Amino acid sequence: MATFDYDLFVIGGGSGGVRAARVAAAEGARVALAEESRLGGTCVIRGCVPKKLMVFASSYRESFADARAYGWDVADGAFHWDAFQPHLHKELERLEGVYRSLLDTSGVEVFDSRAVLDDPHTIRFANGVTKTAKHILIATGGRPVRPDFPCADLGIVSDDIFDLPELPKSILIVGGGYIACEFACILSGMGVQVTQFYRGAQILRGFDEEARGLIAEMMREHGIDLHVGTNIVDMAPASERPAPDEENQAGMGADVHQMAALQTDARGGDAAARGGPIWVKSTNGHEGVFDHVLFATGRRPNTDKMGLEEAGVKLARGGAVEVDEYSQTSVPSIYAIGDATDRVNLTPVAIREGMAFVETVFKGNPTPVDHDLIPSAVFTQPEFGTVGLTEEQAREDHEIEVYCTSFRPMQTAFAGKPGRVLMKLIVDRDSRKVLGCHIVAPQAGEMIQLAGIAVKMGATKEDFDRTVAVHPTMAEELVTMKTPVRTA
Ligand code: NDP
């Protein structure tokens, strides 16, 4: 019988890989893990965690005015990136240390190296050393991709935001998904002049249309210059472009005067030192200049040049590892979880997939991952929490009742702000089950976690109705909506 160096070798030290390694080690398996970058992966180092800390940082801007409306004698404060950023990085280093010590105390051997496959049981490090394992788990995550525009490499991606030496004065964000919308709100909250281009008709494609509409409205209300049906056709360093005529500047982030100033800057100022301002021409014919262009145009699995296909592992178009419901690849000894498989690209899902893998392979209890009714939140301002079917999806296969209310919440209405929230339930007319719940509101991420339990349990509209309201809250509307706004 073949003997291996390890029972399990995990490639990738993000949330999914680390959890799988620790849980397998706890079962007595001999486990090693290789990470070429920093332990913690996308979520901890360049995703969810730093993003959420930036959400918190950015959300204070409005609270000064709100506090005054409530009788506090406070002046507007200014945000200082150079005060926030070192604190942010210190926290990320602390969390990285926590991940390393969790692996150490679990008895997982960690290799700080890139690792690729030599064959279905052999891993090779960057220095040429090889190790063997009975099972290999690919948990290499994904990375942001730039679109195929001329000069697209002038733009930054979400990974770069946390390392910006200074906060830009203006930014163009390209994309209309989670990352584009979240950073549009964050950076706007920090005082950056934000322009956003989305190529489609409405941001957040795939989510409930009514909710998407309200979020777009609220983002514009917060000062984000959102252009839908718009994309970049050309971009270049601003210093290399002739000054555009005034007419063309209408509706874009930078005006002609700012353009002139930025061009001066590009020749010798600070902006040049950090890459310089960027001239952009858009599909609507407008031109503008921005300190940065952020491409939030999707992510791609990290599976390139890993020896996967050579070892017999099938990859889908786009590079995702093809797996079955147990996360097993086309090679029996190799499994894959998380963003590398491009199923549902969320940290808690990768963790679930990692635990189901251990259950299947090391506990003798074959466990498919349940990808149904996964609640999630987009951390826009206001937040968007969602679980289950959108109204548009539900209409395809169900006869439905739609319960929906949109209103100005007490806290901000008192402060004289126009912001509205939305609570929406999609109900199956036959079974009475709540098929979908969509919330646009401050703290919607917290709310949807709890509503998600009820929806996952198969709660009916009548179950919601017999739950007594918690008053006065925004979420009480979820249990007090009596009449459908429409049926279909
Ligand atoms: P998404 O796939 O959600 O969005 C990509 C956006 O870029 C879409 O609006 C897409 O438009 C647009 N786009 C793609 N290609 C081009 C192009 N060539 N030119 C212009 N626009 C383009 O990706 P994200 O990067 O925002 O997020 C990736 C994943 O990360 C998410 O799906 C999510 O799973 C996860 N994530 C989750 C978060 C959370 O839970 N809060 C936060 C951040 C990320 P179109 O709609 O037309 O395709």
Side-chain angles (χ1 to χ4, degrees), residues 92-126:
L92 302 186
E93 277 160 30
R94 185 185 73 80
L95 293 171
E96 191 182 351
V98 168
Y99 266 69
R100 189 172 293 277
S101 75
L102 282 172
L103 288 167
D104 285 348
T105 52
S106 307
V108 176
E109 194 172 349
V110 176
F111 294 90
D112 293 296
S113 168
R114 180 170 172 80
V116 299
L117 297 185
D118 256 3
D119 66 44
H121 292 284
T122 308
I123 299 98
R124 183 164 35 84
F125 301 128

Side-chain angles (χ1 to χ4, degrees), residues 51 147 176-179 182 198-199 205 231 296-298 345-346 377:
K51 179 274 306 285
Y178 280 81
I179 295 179
E182 289 181 347
Y198 174 53
R199 63 183 178 180
R205 182 167 62 83
N231 211 343
T297 45
N345 298 330
L346 298 170

Side-chain angles (χ1 to χ4, degrees), residues 344 348-349 352 368-376 386-389 425-426 432-437 447-461 463-464:
V344 180
V349 176
R352 287 288 172 109
V369 185
D370 179 4
H371 288 110
D372 196 28
L373 293 172
I374 295 169
S376 74
T386 180
V387 63
L389 299 181
L425 295 176
I426 317 294
R432 307 298 301 153
K433 273 190 184 169
V434 175
L435 301 173
C437 175
M447 295 181 204
I448 204 69
Q449 179 67 82
L450 304 180
I453 300 171
V455 176
K456 184 79 183 169
M457 288 176 74
T460 61
K461 176 68 171 70
D463 291 326
F464 273 65

Side-chain angles (χ1 to χ4, degrees), residues 116-180:
V116 299
L117 297 185
D118 256 3
D119 66 44
H121 292 284
T122 308
I123 299 98
R124 183 164 35 84
F125 301 128
N127 62 7
V129 170
T130 57
K131 296 281 180 192
T132 58
K134 186 171 183 197
H135 299 284
I136 295 172
L137 181 67
I138 309 296
T140 46
R143 64 179 187 284
V145 286
R146 286 178 174 77
D148 196 14
F149 296 138
C151 291
D153 56 346
L154 290 173
I156 57 172
V157 293
S158 58
D159 290 0
D160 303 318
I161 292 274
F162 314 108
D163 295 319
L164 286 176
E166 61 190 69
L167 204 59
K169 287 194 176 59
S170 65
I171 194 163
L172 168 64
I173 299 180
V174 183
Y178 280 81
I179 295 179

Side-chain angles (χ1 to χ4, degrees), residues 60 62-77 411 414-415:
Y60 286 100
E62 298 203 338
S63 56
F64 301 109
D66 293 355
R68 281 197 294 275
Y70 279 89
W72 288 88
D73 176 17
V74 285
D76 278 350
Q411 186 179 8
F414 184 83

